[in-house]
Amino acid sequence: MVAREVEAAEIRVSAPEGSVSTDRRPRADAVRNRDLLLSAAADAFAARGADVPLDDIARSAGVGIGTLYRHFPTRDALVEAVYRYEVDVLCQRADQLLEEMPPDQALAEWMQLFVRHVATKKGMLSALKPLLSSNPSFSDQTKGRAQAAATKLLNAGVAAGTVRADVDGADLLRAVGGICMSTDQERSEASERLVGLLFDGLRHGAAGSQVSG
Amino acid sequence: MVAREVEAAEIRVSAPEGSVSTDRRPRADAVRNRDLLLSAAADAFAARGADVPLDDIARSAGVGIGTLYRHFPTRDALVEAVYRYEVDVLCQRADQLLEEMPPDQALAEWMQLFVRHVATKKGMLSALKPLLSSNPSFSDQTKGRAQAAATKLLNAGVAAGTVRADVDGADLLRAVGGICMSTDQERSEASERLVGLLFDGLRHGAAGSQVSG
DNA sequence: AGTATACCGGAGGTTACCTCCGTTTTGCAA
DNA sequence: TTGCAAAACGGAGGTAACCTCCGGTATACT
């Protein structure tokens, strides 16, 4: 299952000679269907939890069940792809926000987005956790990208003098993640308030204001 | 499903008049089969995780699938009963250990038993966690009993002067539980070592030895 | 335009879940 | 001890989800 992906990658890498069509451009319908599936799966997982029948996902994506299984040989592969995709979206939003508004405001917005991101992922959490703990490289990749986005936002704020300098991306994610985890079940409202508090703390010790120590 | 249990309880309660056979002794085969199922389920969950087919459990218990479903209308009911049963066993072992050996040694043994208890429950954890969080009274009951057992062991040690007095059952369980949770997957060996450390700490400040502050 | 290649999609085998009901056992009373 | 009604037994079978397989089809390259 997972081995198949690895195998495919190896073939591509280990074919330096007579491989004419090895890196052929993927077909348009394949790309389209993959996106449809990803989007349908994201909705289904968020709305109905990680146990939603794959048949239903294929149907709501408007493709056959065979197509789903070809793109994502196992349920785990689908869960992983959805998660990867949504982390991508979240990280891209960081860049967009930085272009649209001042850094500190962008940071505040992004932190709230993060909370909602986690809240909608609650449903697939039971399927996701074993995946993250059994697959360190996957876990590291997503964590790394999220940290990069957080760091970028923080640095922009620091450069503008509106965010304190003694917190890095990893710290920020740990703090926000911890808040999301600690507030049990469905109450993202409480999380949003706590994260707001956290953000005020981030702004408090900025270069523009007074630092205690 | 769950409604059925509630209904049954209500019927029993609301029959104060002509109920001659309401509290008839349970049939011997019913009791026996329930125990067989519990034992088989415990083994199956530990060996093959929480997703083991109920058919298999019934078969390995030597009863029909219908019997399993009568005793435990849902998978959750079975998981809960198994957990309850194993917590009972663990708590009873505390009393036994106190009769067989000095209190501090009994405490050490019991802490290690607890670690192994958690380790073998890893498989059913994914099924257990939602149950514990959605059913506070169940969670409280089991926690309460475990705390009582831990407190009993601690008190015996304190009375004998071999265990320090400033730790209560709740603290102990939190500490040991935390250690078990933090050491990821399958490595109960690490947990056992850490718990050994913890135990040394418990013995260190005992009345018989020197207390620092 | 032709063709090899990759993709599409759903029929159907397999497995697990759970209900239903005829049969068997057992506790109680006469 | 015997009879009987209540309770439990057990497995056949309907339902649902999983996943594979393969004939037909669309598409990227020449």
Side-chain angles (χ1 to χ4, degrees):
Chain A
M1 310 295 183
V2 171
R4 179 175 298 180
E5 295 182 340
V6 172
E7 193 188 1
E10 282 174 356
I11 286 174
R12 187 172 301 177
V13 170
S14 66
E17 38 210 356
S19 58
V20 180
S21 60
T22 300
D23 49 358
R24 189 177 188 164
R25 170 147 59 100
R27 275 174 50 164
D29 52 351
V31 173
R32 177 167 31 85
N33 281 340
R34 200 189 129 91
D35 285 351
L36 285 172
L37 281 167
L38 236 33
S39 160
D43 291 349
F45 285 146
R48 300 168 56 194
D51 291 336
V52 57
L54 297 183
D55 294 338
D56 288 1
I57 292 179
R59 192 172 322 119
S60 72
V63 306
I65 185 67
T67 301
L68 187 151
Y69 276 95
R70 195 169 331 96
H71 283 290
F72 310 103
T74 65
R75 178 182 287 271
D76 280 356
L78 179 59
V79 169
E80 178 178 327
V82 167
Y83 186 65
R84 221 183 266 274
Y85 170 74
E86 305 229 311
V87 169
D88 278 349
V89 170
L90 184 66
C91 292
Q92 283 166 16
R93 281 294 290 154
D95 291 329
Q96 288 179 24
L97 288 170
L98 276 177
E99 289 175 9
E100 294 171 7
M101 56 187 73
D104 57 337
Q105 208 175 326
L107 177 59
E109 282 290 326
W110 193 77
M111 285 165 70
Q112 297 297 347
L113 279 180
F114 189 95
V115 171
R116 260 165 274 160
H117 164 83
V118 173
T120 62
K121 254 84 249 141
K122 276 275 168 62
M124 38 189 302
L125 205 100
S126 60
L128 200 54
K129 188 150 30 170
L131 253 181
L132 287 170
S133 69
S134 75
N135 192 340
S137 81
F138 170 46
S139 169
D140 289 351
Q141 278 172 33
T142 51
K143 202 183 297 176
R145 259 180 318 186
Q147 274 182 24
T151 302
K152 195 176 213 174
L153 286 161
L154 283 170
N155 287 345
V158 170
T162 47
V163 171
R164 62 195 295 171
D166 58 351
V167 175
D168 66 3
D171 289 336
L172 180 61
L173 286 188
R174 256 195 293 277
V176 179
I179 288 175
C180 292
M181 289 301 120
S182 68
T183 60
D184 269 356
Q185 312 286 63
E186 331 262 328
R187 286 182 302 140
S188 71
E189 176 205 310
S191 300
E192 289 181 17
R193 200 155 27 76
L194 285 171
V195 168
L197 238 59
L198 184 64
F199 174 70
D200 288 344
L202 281 174
R203 200 155 43 179
H204 183 70
S209 79
Q210 198 68 17
V211 179
S212 60
Chain B
M1 308 291 186
V2 172
R4 179 174 297 180
E5 295 182 340
V6 173
E7 193 189 0
E10 283 174 354
I11 286 174
R12 186 173 300 178
V13 170
S14 67
E17 39 211 353
S19 58
V20 180
S21 61
T22 300
D23 48 358
R24 192 176 186 166
R25 171 144 58 101
R27 275 174 53 164
D29 53 349
V31 173
R32 176 168 32 85
N33 281 339
R34 200 189 129 90
D35 286 351
L36 286 172
L37 282 167
L38 237 34
S39 160
D43 291 349
F45 286 145
R48 300 168 56 195
D51 292 335
V52 57
L54 297 184
D55 293 344
D56 288 2
I57 293 179
R59 191 171 325 116
S60 71
V63 306
I65 185 66
T67 300
L68 187 153
Y69 275 96
R70 196 169 330 97
H71 283 289
F72 310 103
T74 65
R75 180 182 285 271
D76 280 356
L78 179 58
V79 170
E80 177 177 328
V82 167
Y83 186 66
R84 218 183 267 274
Y85 170 73
E86 304 228 312
V87 170
D88 277 350
V89 170
L90 184 66
C91 292
Q92 283 167 16
R93 282 293 290 154
D95 292 329
Q96 287 177 26
L97 288 170
L98 277 177
E99 289 175 9
E100 294 170 8
M101 56 186 73
D104 58 335
Q105 208 174 325
L107 177 58
E109 282 291 325
W110 193 77
M111 286 165 69
Q112 297 298 347
L113 278 180
F114 189 95
V115 171
R116 260 165 274 161
H117 164 84
V118 173
T120 63
K121 254 84 248 143
K122 276 273 168 60
M124 39 190 301
L125 206 101
S126 60
L128 202 53
K129 190 151 29 172
L131 253 181
L132 287 170
S133 70
S134 75
N135 191 341
S137 80
F138 170 47
S139 169
D140 289 350
Q141 278 172 33
T142 51
K143 202 183 297 176
R145 259 180 318 186
Q147 274 183 25
T151 302
K152 195 176 212 174
L153 286 161
L154 284 170
N155 286 346
V158 170
T162 47
V163 171
R164 63 196 294 171
D166 59 352
V167 175
D168 66 4
D171 289 336
L172 180 62
L173 285 189
R174 256 195 294 277
V176 178
I179 287 175
C180 292
M181 290 301 122
S182 67
T183 59
D184 268 358
Q185 310 289 62
E186 330 262 328
R187 286 183 299 139
S188 71
E189 177 205 311
S191 300
E192 291 181 15
R193 203 157 23 77
L194 286 171
V195 168
L197 240 58
L198 184 64
F199 174 71
D200 288 345
L202 281 174
R203 201 154 42 178
H204 184 70
S209 80
Q210 198 68 16
V211 179
S212 61

